[in-house]
């Protein structure tokens, strides 16, 4: 690059890294809020977070920044990495500029208001308490879709925020496939001899559960010199750089299934963050590809690896050492089966790998209808309950276990849910490929040698940051775009071995 280009690029990097410093500082405050902050801290913490968010937003929507990007984009001698960073930054900039500061402010205020109303409504177990702010939020999200612009469906504009370039046209066939194929599998499972996980409800002491989870995370390759695990009410992953990644967990002494797989899940998110290129700090190539790809990493570890018999052949004897009384009479085979028990239920976050996607499907269909205006928010509870009955055969008895169970809509996160299903499907497709690329992967996993798997994910996924969108990345890794047949194959194989079906 010529001197002029070098100078411009250095100015761009400085500005981006300053904004990243602010955003990561906000992430520290956000992490603290969930992990340590005393209850009375909430008011000023909210203001502190808002101040940091607006400061970063102002920097990244300023005319100065816009001009810098435009100038850089016209430099013919930008290198490959630099060009990709500038291309993605320019896309972000143009998107951010479509929302006026007034709109951003309105959205942020409605988000706090909506969240409080949702918490209140859950306490009172009454959707009508949440309905007014949700109705206002939906109207604002429809406005946002118009501001962003879209080709075919207003929901596309919102999806794009979480999963760049994903559309209704891409998702509809995926969910149609779920509707057509998963009930068949579910039917077979229902008629097979059932699997018991009663022993998960024996007493498992908190400290031992914690210690074992740390053993597993270390074996997965999570770097505790560049991250930590803490307790919080809802498990999550956040990072302040690729060398400081935080995961959180919760424990239930009377339900072993509550903690460990969630640790592995967040560990998968954490490994992705630790694997992002450190020399691209604050730049697009130093950040994750999309939410769907992020979720593919967590589900790859949690489900494809962490719920496999191979994995437990290695780890189960170690777990039994922590819990000789609780697990002494349980074979590794029965433990593996219990970890994969399928049962339709009301709560998304507690669902197994098969029924989970009906929970997402229901939210997807509802969101599309709300955003296109064909569903009146006041009809939501009834619609929700009907769909649960239709797809899962269970009907919520109240709003708390029904339409009020997820926080997402109170935050205005419409378009987020589909990334959960995309994540699982990408994970299954990557897993199939990894088995081909890595000869003897299963034997390695049986020996606890997980570094081979991590190395593959590092090279195929983590190293690229945001350079490719999800579909491009999937094509590079597996030779084709997302194809649900890989997930279908994966679940069929798994449940054959769990339920002894043909
Ligand atoms: Co996740």
């Amino acid at each position: 690059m010529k001197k002029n280009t070098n100078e411009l690029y250095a100015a761009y990097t400085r500005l981006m890294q300053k904004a990243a410093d602010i955003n990561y500082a906000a992430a520290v405050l956000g992490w603290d809020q969930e992990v340590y902050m005393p209850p009375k801290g909430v008011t000023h913490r909210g203001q502190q977070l808002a101040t940091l968010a607006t400061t970063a937003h102002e920097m990244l929507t300023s005319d100065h920044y816009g001009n810098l990007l435009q100038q850089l984009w016209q430099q013919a001698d930008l290198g490959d990495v630099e060009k990709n960073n500038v291309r993605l930054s320019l896309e972000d900039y143009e998107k951010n500029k479509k929302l006026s500061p007034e709109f951003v402010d309105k959205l942020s205020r409605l988000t706090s208001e909506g969240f409080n109303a949702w918490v209140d409504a859950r306490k009172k177990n009454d959707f009508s308490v949440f309905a007014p702010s949700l109705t206002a939020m939906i109207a604002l999200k429809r406005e946002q879709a118009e501001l962003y612009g879209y080709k075919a469906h207003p929901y596309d504009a919102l999806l794009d925020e979480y999963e760049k370039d994903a559309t209704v046209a891409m998702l509809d066939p995926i969910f149609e496939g779920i509707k057509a194929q998963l009930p068949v599998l579910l039917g077979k499972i229902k008629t097979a001899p059932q699997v018991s996980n009663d022993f998960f409800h024996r007493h498992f002491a908190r400290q031992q559960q914690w210690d074992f989870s740390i053993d597993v995370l270390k074996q997965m390759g999570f770097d505790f010199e560049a991250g930590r695990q803490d307790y919080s009410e809802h498990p999550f992953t956040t990072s302040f750089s690729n060398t400081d990644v935080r995961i959180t967990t919760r424990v239930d002494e009377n339900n072993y299934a509550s903690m460990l797989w969630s640790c592995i899940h967040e560990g998968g998110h954490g490994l992705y963050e630790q694997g992002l290129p450190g020399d691209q700090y604050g730049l697009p190539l130093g950040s994750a590809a999309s939410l769907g790809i992020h979720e593919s990493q967590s589900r790859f570890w949690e489900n494809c690896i962490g719920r496999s018999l191979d994995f437990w052949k290695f780890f189960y004897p170690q777990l039994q050492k922590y819990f000789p009384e609780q697990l002494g009479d349980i074979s590794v085979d029965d433990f593996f089966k219990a970890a994969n028990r399928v049962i339709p239920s009301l709560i998304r976050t507690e669902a197994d790998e098969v029924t989970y996607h009906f929970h997402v499907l229901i939210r997807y269909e509802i969101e599309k209808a709300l955003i296109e205006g064909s569903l009146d928010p006041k009809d939501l509870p009834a619609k929700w309950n009907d769909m649960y009955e239709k797809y899962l055969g269970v009907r919520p008895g109240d709003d708390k276990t029904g339409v009020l169970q997820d926080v997402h809509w109170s935050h205005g996160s419409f378009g987020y849910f589909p990334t959960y299903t995309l994540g699982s499907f990408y994970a299954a497709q990557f897993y199939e490929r990894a088995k081909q690329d890595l000869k003897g992967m299963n034997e390695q996993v049986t020996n606890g040698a997980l570094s081979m798997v991590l190395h593959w994910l590092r090279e195929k996924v983590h190293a690229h940051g945001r350079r490719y969108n999800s579909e491009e990345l999937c094509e590079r890794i597996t030779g084709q775009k997302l194809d649900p047949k890989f997930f279908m194959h994966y679940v069929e194989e798994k449940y054959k071995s769990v339920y002894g079906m043909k």
Side-chain angles (χ1 to χ4, degrees), residues 145-190:
E146 296 305 322
L147 290 170
Y148 281 151
Y150 53 89
K151 283 197 194 104
H153 196 288
Y155 190 64
D156 293 349
L158 303 180
L159 266 175
D160 193 79
E161 272 201 86
Y162 305 105
E163 199 65 23
K164 199 156 88 72
D165 304 324
T167 57
V168 165
M170 171 213 182
L171 289 173
D172 272 351
I174 292 176
F175 285 105
E176 286 307 316
I178 289 173
K179 274 195 249 183
Q181 295 178 45
L182 286 186
V184 181
L185 177 64
L186 212 51
K188 281 190 204 160
I189 291 173
K190 249 185 226 161

Side-chain angles (χ1 to χ4, degrees), residues 330-347:
I330 306 294
S331 70
V332 62
D333 229 47
D334 287 339
F335 185 86
F336 158 72
K337 287 178 180 173
N340 289 289
R341 188 173 84 127
V342 173
I343 189 145
S345 65
L346 293 171
I347 308 296

